[in-house]
Amino acid sequence: MSSNGKFIVIEGLEGAGKSTAIATVKQYLESRGHQVVCTREPGGTPLAEQLRTLVKQADLQEKVAPETELLLMYASRVQLLTNVIRPALAAGNWVLADRHDLSSRAYQGGGRQLGDSLLDTLRTAVLGDTRPDLTLYLDIDPAQGLARAASRGELDRIEQEQLSFFQRTRAKYLEIAAKEPNIVVIDAGQPLIQVQQALRQALQAAGV
Ligand code: Z5A
């Protein structure tokens, strides 16, 4: 737990509605007088944005090993934690993150089947005691989420994965959420207005 500002993360599969949720949560926090710093992962610093481009690039001339993908995510995360998230929290700001460490646990740990052990080692080394105060996980059927994402145009390298990859990723998200009380599952298959209401209720219930 941070001692100054609080750290809130929005998670979910593509098309779950994270961008929309960020806007709802940001408005909620600002209406309560908090200064909010928004981040996204991978990305969020100049170097991390370059890593984002690399990791999403669809036309690479070689296979990307799952471990490479994982390490690029954590390289990006170290930059963001060091240069943006920790300084923002220390200055008393609230951090509102579009994805964080839970994405790696779900996509690389579950989807890519890298398992928990390597993930646990990296998490301990990289995150230290900077952990989210609250994670709002937008749960959606992968086929529904991908259909929403596809309607926006070209798919990146990860979005081009098989449906089974996203099913494993979702299963991992739900498995972790069932064990960790500061992760709240929101049904993102509902109409937008109900999702927004569920987000505000979750924030209220968490005492935010
Ligand atoms: N990744 C990883 O593997 N490991 C990691 O550690 C991290 C990331 C950090 C990041 O891509 C990729 O990196 C991602 C995971 C991986 N890959 N995949 N595949 P990104 O950041 O570019 O993409 P994204 O995070 O998946 O975001 P997105 O596709 O933009 O999804 P979204 O933000 O959740 O969706 P949205 O833009 O808010 O909504 C999508 C559309 O649905 C839009 O037209 C909305 O108007 C509509 N929408 C939203 N909510 C609703 C409801 N409730 N009803 C109807 N329509 C809705």
Side-chain angles (χ1 to χ4, degrees), residues 13-20 41-42 52 56 73 77 98-100 103-104 107-108 148-149 152 158-159 166 188 190-192 195:
L13 295 178
E14 19 295 309
K18 290 181 298 301
S19 314
T20 324
E41 293 190 32
R52 176 186 176 88
K56 288 174 64 120
M73 297 298 177
R77 187 160 300 131
D98 184 344
R99 297 191 180 280
H100 186 56
S103 283
S104 296
Y107 281 82
Q108 281 69 49
R148 285 184 193 166
R152 285 184 315 219
I158 301 176
E159 286 167 343
F166 295 101
Q190 312 175 85
L192 189 53
V195 174

PDB file of all heavy atoms in Angstrom, residues 13-20 41-42 52 56 73 77 98-100 103-104 107-108 148-149 152 158-159 166 188 190-192 195, ligand 1:
ATOM      1  N   LEU A  13      -9.241  -7.914 -20.816  1.00  0.00           N
ATOM      2  CA  LEU A  13      -8.876  -8.287 -22.183  1.00  0.00           C
ATOM      3  C   LEU A  13      -9.150  -7.121 -23.127  1.00  0.00           C
ATOM      4  O   LEU A  13      -9.885  -6.191 -22.766  1.00  0.00           O
ATOM      5  CB  LEU A  13      -9.691  -9.496 -22.637  1.00  0.00           C
ATOM      6  CG  LEU A  13      -9.457 -10.820 -21.914  1.00  0.00           C
ATOM      7  CD1 LEU A  13     -10.393 -11.885 -22.482  1.00  0.00           C
ATOM      8  CD2 LEU A  13      -8.006 -11.279 -22.036  1.00  0.00           C
ATOM      9  N   GLU A  14      -8.601  -7.187 -24.342  1.00  0.00           N
ATOM     10  CA  GLU A  14      -8.856  -6.147 -25.335  1.00  0.00           C
ATOM     11  C   GLU A  14     -10.351  -6.035 -25.591  1.00  0.00           C
ATOM     12  O   GLU A  14     -11.062  -7.043 -25.627  1.00  0.00           O
ATOM     13  CB  GLU A  14      -8.125  -6.353 -26.677  1.00  0.00           C
ATOM     14  CG  GLU A  14      -7.650  -7.747 -26.916  1.00  0.00           C
ATOM     15  CD  GLU A  14      -6.610  -8.074 -25.882  1.00  0.00           C
ATOM     16  OE1 GLU A  14      -5.680  -7.294 -25.719  1.00  0.00           O
ATOM     17  OE2 GLU A  14      -6.791  -9.084 -25.193  1.00  0.00           O
ATOM     18  N   GLY A  15     -10.783  -4.809 -25.767  1.00  0.00           N
ATOM     19  CA  GLY A  15     -12.194  -4.586 -26.019  1.00  0.00           C
ATOM     20  C   GLY A  15     -13.061  -4.667 -24.776  1.00  0.00           C
ATOM     21  O   GLY A  15     -14.279  -4.531 -24.857  1.00  0.00           O
ATOM     22  N   ALA A  16     -12.443  -4.865 -23.615  1.00  0.00           N
ATOM     23  CA  ALA A  16     -13.241  -4.949 -22.380  1.00  0.00           C
ATOM     24  C   ALA A  16     -13.807  -3.583 -22.005  1.00  0.00           C
ATOM     25  O   ALA A  16     -14.784  -3.498 -21.261  1.00  0.00           O
ATOM     26  CB  ALA A  16     -12.385  -5.489 -21.237  1.00  0.00           C
ATOM     27  N   GLY A  17     -13.172  -2.523 -22.505  1.00  0.00           N
ATOM     28  CA  GLY A  17     -13.658  -1.178 -22.200  1.00  0.00           C
ATOM     29  C   GLY A  17     -12.770  -0.438 -21.214  1.00  0.00           C
ATOM     30  O   GLY A  17     -13.233   0.449 -20.489  1.00  0.00           O
ATOM     31  N   LYS A  18     -11.472  -0.756 -21.215  1.00  0.00           N
ATOM     32  CA  LYS A  18     -10.564  -0.119 -20.240  1.00  0.00           C
ATOM     33  C   LYS A  18     -10.467   1.386 -20.460  1.00  0.00           C
ATOM     34  O   LYS A  18     -10.500   2.151 -19.504  1.00  0.00           O
ATOM     35  CB  LYS A  18      -9.166  -0.753 -20.308  1.00  0.00           C
ATOM     36  CG  LYS A  18      -9.133  -2.173 -19.769  1.00  0.00           C
ATOM     37  CD  LYS A  18      -7.756  -2.770 -19.832  1.00  0.00           C
ATOM     38  CE  LYS A  18      -7.251  -2.860 -21.257  1.00  0.00           C
ATOM     39  NZ  LYS A  18      -8.102  -3.677 -22.151  1.00  0.00           N
ATOM     40  N   SER A  19     -10.344   1.796 -21.735  1.00  0.00           N
ATOM     41  CA  SER A  19     -10.200   3.238 -22.008  1.00  0.00           C
ATOM     42  C   SER A  19     -11.420   3.994 -21.489  1.00  0.00           C
ATOM     43  O   SER A  19     -11.297   5.073 -20.889  1.00  0.00           O
ATOM     44  CB  SER A  19     -10.061   3.491 -23.510  1.00  0.00           C
ATOM     45  OG  SER A  19      -9.140   2.603 -24.052  1.00  0.00           O
ATOM     46  N   THR A  20     -12.578   3.410 -21.714  1.00  0.00           N
ATOM     47  CA  THR A  20     -13.808   4.039 -21.255  1.00  0.00           C
ATOM     48  C   THR A  20     -13.856   4.062 -19.724  1.00  0.00           C
ATOM     49  O   THR A  20     -14.253   5.059 -19.110  1.00  0.00           O
ATOM     50  CB  THR A  20     -15.020   3.233 -21.808  1.00  0.00           C
ATOM     51  OG1 THR A  20     -14.697   2.762 -23.120  1.00  0.00           O
ATOM     52  CG2 THR A  20     -16.269   4.052 -21.848  1.00  0.00           C
ATOM     53  N   GLU A  41       0.318   0.683 -19.837  1.00  0.00           N
ATOM     54  CA  GLU A  41       1.388  -0.314 -20.013  1.00  0.00           C
ATOM     55  C   GLU A  41       1.019  -1.274 -21.121  1.00  0.00           C
ATOM     56  O   GLU A  41      -0.158  -1.633 -21.236  1.00  0.00           O
ATOM     57  CB  GLU A  41       1.608  -1.098 -18.712  1.00  0.00           C
ATOM     58  CG  GLU A  41       2.163  -0.246 -17.600  1.00  0.00           C
ATOM     59  CD  GLU A  41       2.615  -1.074 -16.389  1.00  0.00           C
ATOM     60  OE1 GLU A  41       3.070  -2.227 -16.590  1.00  0.00           O
ATOM     61  OE2 GLU A  41       2.506  -0.571 -15.274  1.00  0.00           O
ATOM     62  N   PRO A  42       2.019  -1.767 -21.889  1.00  0.00           N
ATOM     63  CA  PRO A  42       3.375  -1.250 -21.827  1.00  0.00           C
ATOM     64  C   PRO A  42       3.401   0.187 -22.340  1.00  0.00           C
ATOM     65  O   PRO A  42       2.594   0.561 -23.166  1.00  0.00           O
ATOM     66  CB  PRO A  42       4.142  -2.202 -22.765  1.00  0.00           C
ATOM     67  CG  PRO A  42       3.104  -2.755 -23.695  1.00  0.00           C
ATOM     68  CD  PRO A  42       1.825  -2.802 -22.917  1.00  0.00           C
ATOM     69  N   ARG A  52       6.904  -0.610 -26.172  1.00  0.00           N
ATOM     70  CA  ARG A  52       5.508  -0.911 -26.540  1.00  0.00           C
ATOM     71  C   ARG A  52       5.397  -1.160 -28.047  1.00  0.00           C
ATOM     72  O   ARG A  52       4.779  -2.119 -28.486  1.00  0.00           O
ATOM     73  CB  ARG A  52       4.608   0.264 -26.127  1.00  0.00           C
ATOM     74  CG  ARG A  52       3.163   0.105 -26.538  1.00  0.00           C
ATOM     75  CD  ARG A  52       2.352   1.373 -26.238  1.00  0.00           C
ATOM     76  NE  ARG A  52       0.995   1.234 -26.715  1.00  0.00           N
ATOM     77  CZ  ARG A  52      -0.010   0.712 -26.024  1.00  0.00           C
ATOM     78  NH1 ARG A  52       0.179   0.334 -24.784  1.00  0.00           N
ATOM     79  NH2 ARG A  52      -1.190   0.595 -26.549  1.00  0.00           N
ATOM     80  N   LYS A  56       4.396  -4.856 -29.728  1.00  0.00           N
ATOM     81  CA  LYS A  56       3.120  -4.988 -30.433  1.00  0.00           C
ATOM     82  C   LYS A  56       3.283  -5.175 -31.945  1.00  0.00           C
ATOM     83  O   LYS A  56       2.312  -5.510 -32.630  1.00  0.00           O
ATOM     84  CB  LYS A  56       2.261  -3.736 -30.179  1.00  0.00           C
ATOM     85  CG  LYS A  56       1.721  -3.685 -28.752  1.00  0.00           C
ATOM     86  CD  LYS A  56       1.010  -2.383 -28.473  1.00  0.00           C
ATOM     87  CE  LYS A  56      -0.208  -2.226 -29.317  1.00  0.00           C
ATOM     88  NZ  LYS A  56      -1.453  -2.099 -28.577  1.00  0.00           N
ATOM     89  N   MET A  73       7.890  -6.541 -21.231  1.00  0.00           N
ATOM     90  CA  MET A  73       6.823  -5.951 -20.410  1.00  0.00           C
ATOM     91  C   MET A  73       7.407  -5.434 -19.088  1.00  0.00           C
ATOM     92  O   MET A  73       7.063  -4.347 -18.633  1.00  0.00           O
ATOM     93  CB  MET A  73       5.730  -6.980 -20.104  1.00  0.00           C
ATOM     94  CG  MET A  73       4.989  -7.496 -21.310  1.00  0.00           C
ATOM     95  SD  MET A  73       4.094  -6.187 -22.179  1.00  0.00           S
ATOM     96  CE  MET A  73       3.434  -7.134 -23.576  1.00  0.00           C
ATOM     97  N   ARG A  77       7.866  -1.741 -17.518  1.00  0.00           N
ATOM     98  CA  ARG A  77       7.271  -1.482 -16.180  1.00  0.00           C
ATOM     99  C   ARG A  77       8.279  -0.848 -15.221  1.00  0.00           C
ATOM    100  O   ARG A  77       7.921   0.044 -14.443  1.00  0.00           O
ATOM    101  CB  ARG A  77       6.745  -2.817 -15.624  1.00  0.00           C
ATOM    102  CG  ARG A  77       5.955  -2.712 -14.344  1.00  0.00           C
ATOM    103  CD  ARG A  77       5.099  -3.959 -14.148  1.00  0.00           C
ATOM    104  NE  ARG A  77       4.168  -4.125 -15.230  1.00  0.00           N
ATOM    105  CZ  ARG A  77       3.979  -5.263 -15.923  1.00  0.00           C
ATOM    106  NH1 ARG A  77       4.628  -6.354 -15.593  1.00  0.00           N
ATOM    107  NH2 ARG A  77       3.125  -5.290 -16.915  1.00  0.00           N
ATOM    108  N   ASP A  98      -3.771   2.104 -16.792  1.00  0.00           N
ATOM    109  CA  ASP A  98      -4.363   1.251 -17.821  1.00  0.00           C
ATOM    110  C   ASP A  98      -3.409   0.067 -17.978  1.00  0.00           C
ATOM    111  O   ASP A  98      -2.407   0.177 -18.650  1.00  0.00           O
ATOM    112  CB  ASP A  98      -4.481   2.065 -19.123  1.00  0.00           C
ATOM    113  CG  ASP A  98      -5.177   1.294 -20.240  1.00  0.00           C
ATOM    114  OD1 ASP A  98      -5.296   0.062 -20.144  1.00  0.00           O
ATOM    115  OD2 ASP A  98      -5.584   1.950 -21.218  1.00  0.00           O
ATOM    116  N   ARG A  99      -3.692  -0.987 -17.243  1.00  0.00           N
ATOM    117  CA  ARG A  99      -2.877  -2.208 -17.147  1.00  0.00           C
ATOM    118  C   ARG A  99      -1.677  -1.998 -16.231  1.00  0.00           C
ATOM    119  O   ARG A  99      -1.104  -0.917 -16.149  1.00  0.00           O
ATOM    120  CB  ARG A  99      -2.335  -2.689 -18.496  1.00  0.00           C
ATOM    121  CG  ARG A  99      -3.402  -3.087 -19.509  1.00  0.00           C
ATOM    122  CD  ARG A  99      -2.756  -3.798 -20.691  1.00  0.00           C
ATOM    123  NE  ARG A  99      -3.735  -4.197 -21.681  1.00  0.00           N
ATOM    124  CZ  ARG A  99      -4.508  -5.281 -21.581  1.00  0.00           C
ATOM    125  NH1 ARG A  99      -4.395  -6.056 -20.533  1.00  0.00           N
ATOM    126  NH2 ARG A  99      -5.384  -5.579 -22.505  1.00  0.00           N
ATOM    127  N   HIS A 100      -1.289  -3.096 -15.570  1.00  0.00           N
ATOM    128  CA  HIS A 100      -0.050  -3.124 -14.787  1.00  0.00           C
ATOM    129  C   HIS A 100       0.363  -4.591 -14.696  1.00  0.00           C
ATOM    130  O   HIS A 100       0.103  -5.376 -15.621  1.00  0.00           O
ATOM    131  CB  HIS A 100      -0.290  -2.447 -13.423  1.00  0.00           C
ATOM    132  CG  HIS A 100       0.922  -2.285 -12.575  1.00  0.00           C
ATOM    133  ND1 HIS A 100       2.061  -1.624 -13.008  1.00  0.00           N
ATOM    134  CD2 HIS A 100       1.200  -2.703 -11.311  1.00  0.00           C
ATOM    135  CE1 HIS A 100       2.963  -1.656 -12.036  1.00  0.00           C
ATOM    136  NE2 HIS A 100       2.469  -2.305 -11.005  1.00  0.00           N
ATOM    137  N   SER A 103      -1.549  -7.803 -15.806  1.00  0.00           N
ATOM    138  CA  SER A 103      -1.571  -8.170 -17.238  1.00  0.00           C
ATOM    139  C   SER A 103      -0.500  -9.213 -17.541  1.00  0.00           C
ATOM    140  O   SER A 103      -0.744 -10.167 -18.282  1.00  0.00           O
ATOM    141  CB  SER A 103      -1.322  -6.943 -18.124  1.00  0.00           C
ATOM    142  OG  SER A 103      -2.456  -6.134 -18.231  1.00  0.00           O
ATOM    143  N   SER A 104       0.698  -9.037 -16.986  1.00  0.00           N
ATOM    144  CA  SER A 104       1.775 -10.013 -17.253  1.00  0.00           C
ATOM    145  C   SER A 104       1.428 -11.368 -16.662  1.00  0.00           C
ATOM    146  O   SER A 104       1.669 -12.418 -17.271  1.00  0.00           O
ATOM    147  CB  SER A 104       3.103  -9.541 -16.647  1.00  0.00           C
ATOM    148  OG  SER A 104       3.523  -8.352 -17.257  1.00  0.00           O
ATOM    149  N   TYR A 107      -1.538 -12.607 -19.133  1.00  0.00           N
ATOM    150  CA  TYR A 107      -1.194 -12.863 -20.552  1.00  0.00           C
ATOM    151  C   TYR A 107       0.030 -13.776 -20.690  1.00  0.00           C
ATOM    152  O   TYR A 107       0.015 -14.720 -21.470  1.00  0.00           O
ATOM    153  CB  TYR A 107      -0.904 -11.548 -21.294  1.00  0.00           C
ATOM    154  CG  TYR A 107      -2.137 -10.789 -21.698  1.00  0.00           C
ATOM    155  CD1 TYR A 107      -2.807  -9.970 -20.790  1.00  0.00           C
ATOM    156  CD2 TYR A 107      -2.658 -10.879 -22.983  1.00  0.00           C
ATOM    157  CE1 TYR A 107      -3.943  -9.263 -21.149  1.00  0.00           C
ATOM    158  CE2 TYR A 107      -3.797 -10.172 -23.359  1.00  0.00           C
ATOM    159  CZ  TYR A 107      -4.432  -9.369 -22.438  1.00  0.00           C
ATOM    160  OH  TYR A 107      -5.565  -8.673 -22.797  1.00  0.00           O
ATOM    161  N   GLN A 108       1.115 -13.436 -19.959  1.00  0.00           N
ATOM    162  CA  GLN A 108       2.320 -14.252 -20.126  1.00  0.00           C
ATOM    163  C   GLN A 108       2.256 -15.502 -19.218  1.00  0.00           C
ATOM    164  O   GLN A 108       2.607 -16.592 -19.648  1.00  0.00           O
ATOM    165  CB  GLN A 108       3.580 -13.427 -19.837  1.00  0.00           C
ATOM    166  CG  GLN A 108       3.994 -12.511 -20.989  1.00  0.00           C
ATOM    167  CD  GLN A 108       3.048 -11.358 -21.245  1.00  0.00           C
ATOM    168  OE1 GLN A 108       2.664 -10.636 -20.324  1.00  0.00           O
ATOM    169  NE2 GLN A 108       2.644 -11.169 -22.491  1.00  0.00           N
ATOM    170  N   ARG A 148     -15.138  -6.354 -30.507  1.00  0.00           N
ATOM    171  CA  ARG A 148     -15.106  -4.895 -30.301  1.00  0.00           C
ATOM    172  C   ARG A 148     -13.774  -4.323 -30.786  1.00  0.00           C
ATOM    173  O   ARG A 148     -13.728  -3.303 -31.466  1.00  0.00           O
ATOM    174  CB  ARG A 148     -15.259  -4.556 -28.819  1.00  0.00           C
ATOM    175  CG  ARG A 148     -16.659  -4.717 -28.263  1.00  0.00           C
ATOM    176  CD  ARG A 148     -16.652  -4.240 -26.820  1.00  0.00           C
ATOM    177  NE  ARG A 148     -17.847  -4.600 -26.075  1.00  0.00           N
ATOM    178  CZ  ARG A 148     -17.941  -4.518 -24.753  1.00  0.00           C
ATOM    179  NH1 ARG A 148     -16.924  -4.094 -24.036  1.00  0.00           N
ATOM    180  NH2 ARG A 148     -19.047  -4.837 -24.127  1.00  0.00           N
ATOM    181  N   ALA A 149     -12.659  -4.999 -30.411  1.00  0.00           N
ATOM    182  CA  ALA A 149     -11.328  -4.494 -30.785  1.00  0.00           C
ATOM    183  C   ALA A 149     -11.144  -4.543 -32.300  1.00  0.00           C
ATOM    184  O   ALA A 149     -10.583  -3.614 -32.898  1.00  0.00           O
ATOM    185  CB  ALA A 149     -10.243  -5.313 -30.091  1.00  0.00           C
ATOM    186  N   ARG A 152     -12.111  -1.800 -34.735  1.00  0.00           N
ATOM    187  CA  ARG A 152     -11.299  -0.572 -34.816  1.00  0.00           C
ATOM    188  C   ARG A 152     -10.240  -0.643 -35.903  1.00  0.00           C
ATOM    189  O   ARG A 152      -9.527   0.310 -36.131  1.00  0.00           O
ATOM    190  CB  ARG A 152     -10.613  -0.309 -33.478  1.00  0.00           C
ATOM    191  CG  ARG A 152     -11.554   0.213 -32.430  1.00  0.00           C
ATOM    192  CD  ARG A 152     -10.781   0.534 -31.207  1.00  0.00           C
ATOM    193  NE  ARG A 152      -9.854  -0.556 -30.941  1.00  0.00           N
ATOM    194  CZ  ARG A 152      -9.576  -1.015 -29.724  1.00  0.00           C
ATOM    195  NH1 ARG A 152     -10.124  -0.478 -28.693  1.00  0.00           N
ATOM    196  NH2 ARG A 152      -8.730  -2.001 -29.554  1.00  0.00           N
ATOM    197  N   ILE A 158      -0.108  -9.318 -30.674  1.00  0.00           N
ATOM    198  CA  ILE A 158      -0.750 -10.108 -29.611  1.00  0.00           C
ATOM    199  C   ILE A 158      -2.237 -10.312 -29.922  1.00  0.00           C
ATOM    200  O   ILE A 158      -2.786 -11.393 -29.715  1.00  0.00           O
ATOM    201  CB  ILE A 158      -0.534  -9.444 -28.231  1.00  0.00           C
ATOM    202  CG1 ILE A 158       0.978  -9.327 -27.949  1.00  0.00           C
ATOM    203  CG2 ILE A 158      -1.224 -10.243 -27.125  1.00  0.00           C
ATOM    204  CD1 ILE A 158       1.342  -8.599 -26.666  1.00  0.00           C
ATOM    205  N   GLU A 159      -2.854  -9.285 -30.480  1.00  0.00           N
ATOM    206  CA  GLU A 159      -4.292  -9.408 -30.818  1.00  0.00           C
ATOM    207  C   GLU A 159      -4.549 -10.479 -31.882  1.00  0.00           C
ATOM    208  O   GLU A 159      -5.675 -10.950 -32.027  1.00  0.00           O
ATOM    209  CB  GLU A 159      -4.829  -8.056 -31.313  1.00  0.00           C
ATOM    210  CG  GLU A 159      -5.017  -7.043 -30.189  1.00  0.00           C
ATOM    211  CD  GLU A 159      -5.249  -5.629 -30.703  1.00  0.00           C
ATOM    212  OE1 GLU A 159      -4.958  -5.352 -31.876  1.00  0.00           O
ATOM    213  OE2 GLU A 159      -5.711  -4.798 -29.902  1.00  0.00           O
ATOM    214  N   PHE A 166      -6.570 -16.201 -25.473  1.00  0.00           N
ATOM    215  CA  PHE A 166      -7.327 -15.232 -24.676  1.00  0.00           C
ATOM    216  C   PHE A 166      -8.203 -15.939 -23.635  1.00  0.00           C
ATOM    217  O   PHE A 166      -8.457 -15.398 -22.560  1.00  0.00           O
ATOM    218  CB  PHE A 166      -8.170 -14.334 -25.596  1.00  0.00           C
ATOM    219  CG  PHE A 166      -7.306 -13.483 -26.493  1.00  0.00           C
ATOM    220  CD1 PHE A 166      -7.092 -13.834 -27.812  1.00  0.00           C
ATOM    221  CD2 PHE A 166      -6.647 -12.370 -25.997  1.00  0.00           C
ATOM    222  CE1 PHE A 166      -6.263 -13.083 -28.626  1.00  0.00           C
ATOM    223  CE2 PHE A 166      -5.815 -11.610 -26.797  1.00  0.00           C
ATOM    224  CZ  PHE A 166      -5.619 -11.969 -28.123  1.00  0.00           C
ATOM    225  N   ALA A 188     -18.022  -6.772 -17.717  1.00  0.00           N
ATOM    226  CA  ALA A 188     -17.867  -5.779 -18.792  1.00  0.00           C
ATOM    227  C   ALA A 188     -18.683  -6.131 -20.028  1.00  0.00           C
ATOM    228  O   ALA A 188     -18.616  -5.431 -21.034  1.00  0.00           O
ATOM    229  CB  ALA A 188     -16.391  -5.654 -19.168  1.00  0.00           C
ATOM    230  N   GLN A 190     -21.871  -6.088 -19.917  1.00  0.00           N
ATOM    231  CA  GLN A 190     -23.112  -5.329 -19.736  1.00  0.00           C
ATOM    232  C   GLN A 190     -23.073  -4.061 -20.582  1.00  0.00           C
ATOM    233  O   GLN A 190     -22.009  -3.614 -21.001  1.00  0.00           O
ATOM    234  CB  GLN A 190     -23.263  -4.864 -18.285  1.00  0.00           C
ATOM    235  CG  GLN A 190     -23.047  -5.877 -17.204  1.00  0.00           C
ATOM    236  CD  GLN A 190     -23.117  -5.215 -15.837  1.00  0.00           C
ATOM    237  OE1 GLN A 190     -24.181  -5.040 -15.272  1.00  0.00           O
ATOM    238  NE2 GLN A 190     -21.969  -4.851 -15.289  1.00  0.00           N
ATOM    239  N   PRO A 191     -24.243  -3.433 -20.782  1.00  0.00           N
ATOM    240  CA  PRO A 191     -24.243  -2.124 -21.447  1.00  0.00           C
ATOM    241  C   PRO A 191     -23.363  -1.139 -20.674  1.00  0.00           C
ATOM    242  O   PRO A 191     -23.242  -1.224 -19.442  1.00  0.00           O
ATOM    243  CB  PRO A 191     -25.711  -1.698 -21.404  1.00  0.00           C
ATOM    244  CG  PRO A 191     -26.472  -2.977 -21.241  1.00  0.00           C
ATOM    245  CD  PRO A 191     -25.583  -3.908 -20.472  1.00  0.00           C
ATOM    246  N   LEU A 192     -22.779  -0.214 -21.432  1.00  0.00           N
ATOM    247  CA  LEU A 192     -21.798   0.723 -20.879  1.00  0.00           C
ATOM    248  C   LEU A 192     -22.272   1.429 -19.606  1.00  0.00           C
ATOM    249  O   LEU A 192     -21.524   1.552 -18.635  1.00  0.00           O
ATOM    250  CB  LEU A 192     -21.453   1.750 -21.964  1.00  0.00           C
ATOM    251  CG  LEU A 192     -20.303   2.684 -21.695  1.00  0.00           C
ATOM    252  CD1 LEU A 192     -19.044   1.910 -21.321  1.00  0.00           C
ATOM    253  CD2 LEU A 192     -20.051   3.547 -22.923  1.00  0.00           C
ATOM    254  N   VAL A 195     -21.863  -0.741 -16.672  1.00  0.00           N
ATOM    255  CA  VAL A 195     -20.441  -0.926 -16.333  1.00  0.00           C
ATOM    256  C   VAL A 195     -19.963   0.292 -15.537  1.00  0.00           C
ATOM    257  O   VAL A 195     -19.296   0.157 -14.501  1.00  0.00           O
ATOM    258  CB  VAL A 195     -19.578  -1.110 -17.602  1.00  0.00           C
ATOM    259  CG1 VAL A 195     -18.098  -1.164 -17.245  1.00  0.00           C
ATOM    260  CG2 VAL A 195     -19.985  -2.370 -18.356  1.00  0.00           C
TER     261      VAL A 195
HETATM  262  N1  Z5A B   1       0.113  -6.957 -22.501  1.00  0.00           N
HETATM  263  C1  Z5A B   1       0.704  -8.143 -22.099  1.00  0.00           C
HETATM  264  O1  Z5A B   1       0.623  -9.143 -22.796  1.00  0.00           O
HETATM  265  N2  Z5A B   1       1.371  -8.177 -20.913  1.00  0.00           N
HETATM  266  C2  Z5A B   1       1.517  -7.086 -20.125  1.00  0.00           C
HETATM  267  O2  Z5A B   1       2.149  -7.164 -19.068  1.00  0.00           O
HETATM  268  C3  Z5A B   1       0.885  -5.865 -20.560  1.00  0.00           C
HETATM  269  C4  Z5A B   1       0.211  -5.847 -21.752  1.00  0.00           C
HETATM  270  C5  Z5A B   1       1.010  -4.646 -19.712  1.00  0.00           C
HETATM  271  C6  Z5A B   1      -1.576  -3.794 -24.925  1.00  0.00           C
HETATM  272  O3  Z5A B   1      -2.378  -3.363 -25.933  1.00  0.00           O
HETATM  273  C7  Z5A B   1      -1.310  -5.254 -25.258  1.00  0.00           C
HETATM  274  O4  Z5A B   1      -0.232  -5.730 -24.472  1.00  0.00           O
HETATM  275  C8  Z5A B   1      -2.497  -6.090 -24.918  1.00  0.00           C
HETATM  276  C9  Z5A B   1      -2.087  -6.877 -23.695  1.00  0.00           C
HETATM  277  C10 Z5A B   1      -0.600  -6.919 -23.791  1.00  0.00           C
HETATM  278  N3  Z5A B   1      -2.676  -6.996 -25.976  1.00  0.00           N
HETATM  279  N4  Z5A B   1      -3.428  -7.639 -26.499  1.00  0.00           N
HETATM  280  N5  Z5A B   1      -3.956  -8.325 -27.251  1.00  0.00           N
HETATM  281  P1  Z5A B   1      -3.237  -2.045 -25.907  1.00  0.00           P
HETATM  282  O5  Z5A B   1      -2.962  -1.267 -24.677  1.00  0.00           O
HETATM  283  O6  Z5A B   1      -3.066  -1.370 -27.205  1.00  0.00           O
HETATM  284  O7  Z5A B   1      -4.670  -2.628 -26.013  1.00  0.00           O
HETATM  285  P2  Z5A B   1      -5.658  -2.997 -24.914  1.00  0.00           P
HETATM  286  O8  Z5A B   1      -5.127  -2.746 -23.575  1.00  0.00           O
HETATM  287  O9  Z5A B   1      -6.059  -4.378 -25.165  1.00  0.00           O
HETATM  288  O10 Z5A B   1      -6.789  -1.929 -25.131  1.00  0.00           O
HETATM  289  P3  Z5A B   1      -8.007  -1.858 -26.109  1.00  0.00           P
HETATM  290  O11 Z5A B   1      -8.016  -2.894 -27.175  1.00  0.00           O
HETATM  291  O12 Z5A B   1      -8.029  -0.486 -26.562  1.00  0.00           O
HETATM  292  O13 Z5A B   1      -9.188  -2.243 -25.196  1.00  0.00           O
HETATM  293  P4  Z5A B   1     -10.008  -1.387 -24.167  1.00  0.00           P
HETATM  294  O14 Z5A B   1      -9.271  -0.125 -23.796  1.00  0.00           O
HETATM  295  O15 Z5A B   1     -10.340  -2.294 -23.072  1.00  0.00           O
HETATM  296  O16 Z5A B   1     -11.303  -1.049 -24.950  1.00  0.00           O
HETATM  297  P5  Z5A B   1     -11.995   0.350 -25.276  1.00  0.00           P
HETATM  298  O17 Z5A B   1     -11.183   1.104 -26.317  1.00  0.00           O
HETATM  299  O18 Z5A B   1     -12.372   1.073 -24.054  1.00  0.00           O
HETATM  300  O19 Z5A B   1     -13.328  -0.203 -25.923  1.00  0.00           O
HETATM  301  C11 Z5A B   1     -13.281  -0.922 -27.121  1.00  0.00           C
HETATM  302  C12 Z5A B   1     -14.565  -0.629 -27.925  1.00  0.00           C
HETATM  303  O20 Z5A B   1     -15.684  -1.184 -27.238  1.00  0.00           O
HETATM  304  C13 Z5A B   1     -14.846   0.860 -28.091  1.00  0.00           C
HETATM  305  O21 Z5A B   1     -15.393   1.050 -29.359  1.00  0.00           O
HETATM  306  C14 Z5A B   1     -15.888   1.137 -26.998  1.00  0.00           C
HETATM  307  O22 Z5A B   1     -16.748   2.183 -27.346  1.00  0.00           O
HETATM  308  C15 Z5A B   1     -16.648  -0.178 -26.967  1.00  0.00           C
HETATM  309  N6  Z5A B   1     -17.185  -0.481 -25.624  1.00  0.00           N
HETATM  310  C16 Z5A B   1     -16.569  -0.302 -24.434  1.00  0.00           C
HETATM  311  N7  Z5A B   1     -17.369  -0.708 -23.419  1.00  0.00           N
HETATM  312  C17 Z5A B   1     -18.522  -1.157 -23.998  1.00  0.00           C
HETATM  313  C18 Z5A B   1     -19.728  -1.714 -23.483  1.00  0.00           C
HETATM  314  N8  Z5A B   1     -19.923  -1.916 -22.168  1.00  0.00           N
HETATM  315  N9  Z5A B   1     -20.683  -2.082 -24.368  1.00  0.00           N
HETATM  316  C19 Z5A B   1     -20.498  -1.914 -25.699  1.00  0.00           C
HETATM  317  N10 Z5A B   1     -19.386  -1.383 -26.258  1.00  0.00           N
HETATM  318  C20 Z5A B   1     -18.409  -1.011 -25.414  1.00  0.00           C
END
